[in-house]
Amino acid sequence: MTEAVHYNPYDYHIHEDPYPTYTRLRSEAPLYHNEDLGFWALSRHEDVNAGFRNTTDLSSSHGVSLDPLASGPHAYKTMSFLAMDPPRHTRMRGLVARGFTPRRVMDLEPRIRALAVHYLDEALERGSFDSIGDFAGKLPMDVISELMGVPPADRDEVRRLADLLVHRPDGATDVPPEGIEAAFALIEYYTDMIARRRTAPTEDLTSALLVAEIDGDRLADDEIIGFLFLMVVAGNETTTKLLGNALYWANHDPAVKAQVLADPMNSATIERWVEETLRFDTSTQMLARIAVNDVEVAGGCIPAGDRVVLLIGSGNRDEEVFDQPDVFDLSRDTSASLSFGVGRHFCMGASLARLEARIALEEFTRRFSDYEIDEAHSRRVHSINVRGFASLPTSISAR
């Protein structure tokens, strides 16, 4: 007899490859219950999609993580509007949108390209580099930092703290002490940054948030800190993982790699590469909710008060929606991808992530005729929400 399927998002085996488990969950336990960790999991595309939209029964008010220390009514302090329901969510997102405008994002394009060129030219001189440590990890941190107003001298430390926030040691089922210390350090840093902007405003997003207003309503300092906190994790970590995953999976399939390198800086090919990476191996694998009412779903019932996880990574591999979902195919229709969420919680930073990824991969293909990732010495990040690499040793060939 086949052993019953077991899913534990803290398990390092899941971090290495969750997709066989996801396949079994969709087939054998579309409403899965982990009694030990106290959560339910939805894995089919239709249920994850509906879960995003059902904000009446599935609340975001306790945050998107299962970590006990990061969950509960205080979660908004580090997750901002990700941990809010209407009307708080509507108010907070509306005020943030006054500063985080599409124009502000598009104005970043020349700077994003200049940063990508800088890091890739350095790699070209060396002939090999770490695709994460020397490129994919630095570019998003620089972009978010320039948007927020974090000076260059502070960026490596802010990135180090952000990495500690998402890392989970083997066997841990909560935020480790290092993550707690990192959170307090970031809060202190952002508090000081806001105080400086109040006395000497600049042109960055932090200053814009200080004066953002709707009918006399403004953001409090702790609300701005929560949003900056969200930006350094959601805006930095996830884009780093997107870039790393794109390079890894193209390298993994010679036909795909030949396709993306054949026509340097082809925006249409690059965009398909980005979108298929988002579907095939999305940076954000799951987001948590809390049931405020009994929820009938997938042939069972989630009791009110229980935690629920929406398995985005599983929904994106659902064979009922995507033909041959375990094949990395640049020609497929990815419009049903769940990677940036659905409905009112659709990711505000989606356009920035796509812009960064497109520019970074355009400049990558313009410089290199080939590249090889040393998969045997690559290291994955160990996180319950975020999937990607901590290191990708890469050798390159110039055009």
Side-chain angles (χ1 to χ4, degrees), residues 202-357:
T202 58
E203 296 299 318
D204 55 46
L205 176 60
T206 302
S207 294
L209 293 175
L210 285 169
V211 297
E213 179 181 322
I214 297 178
D215 297 332
D217 186 19
R218 291 191 175 187
L219 294 166
D221 283 6
D222 64 334
E223 293 176 316
I224 297 174
I225 290 169
F227 179 69
L228 297 177
F229 214 107
L230 173 64
M231 288 285 284
V232 80
V233 176
N236 170 48
E237 290 288 340
T238 54
T239 307
T240 291
K241 276 53 179 182
L242 166 58
L243 284 172
N245 290 344
L247 293 172
Y248 177 86
W249 289 113
N251 177 80
H252 203 68
D253 187 328
V256 173
K257 184 164 70 169
Q259 187 176 354
V260 299
L261 293 175
D263 188 3
M265 291 191 72
N266 184 316
S267 293
T269 300
I270 299 297
E271 287 171 6
R272 290 196 298 270
W273 186 8
V274 171
E275 295 304 318
E276 177 64 347
T277 301
L278 285 166
R279 181 206 68 85
F280 185 81
D281 198 13
T282 187
S283 305
T284 302
Q285 287 285 301
M286 64 91 158
L287 294 173
R289 298 287 190 263
I290 187 169
V292 293
N293 302 301
D294 290 351
V295 181
E296 300 286 340
V297 61
C301 179
I302 302 171
D306 281 11
R307 294 287 273 165
V308 186
V309 295
L310 306 177
L311 294 177
I312 300 166
S314 176
N316 281 349
R317 294 279 192 106
D318 192 332
E319 47 283 305
E320 295 298 318
V321 177
F322 301 101
D323 184 45
Q324 295 185 295
D326 296 327
V327 174
F328 194 91
D329 181 3
L330 297 187
S331 67
R332 80 165 68 248
D333 178 2
T334 59
S335 59
S337 171
L338 301 165
S339 297
F340 286 121
V342 179
R344 61 165 50 99
H345 278 284
F346 184 81
C347 178
M348 179 178 278
S351 59
L352 176 58
R354 285 177 163 131
L355 179 66
E356 287 183 65

Side-chain angles (χ1 to χ4, degrees), residues 144-157:
I144 289 296
S145 294
E146 296 203 3
L147 186 65
M148 291 164 37
V150 175
D154 296 347
R155 292 174 189 175
D156 284 345
E157 176 62 7

Side-chain angles (χ1 to χ4, degrees), residues 78-114:
T78 54
M79 297 181 189
S80 189
F81 51 73
L82 281 190
M84 296 179 187
D85 296 320
R88 290 183 71 203
H89 174 272
T90 306
R91 170 190 171 271
M92 182 68 188
R93 186 154 174 155
L95 283 166
V96 166
R98 292 298 174 103
F100 192 69
T101 61
R103 175 62 182 272
R104 188 179 291 273
V105 170
M106 293 309 300
D107 284 348
L108 288 169
E109 180 163 358
R111 186 58 182 148
I112 295 171
R113 197 171 297 278

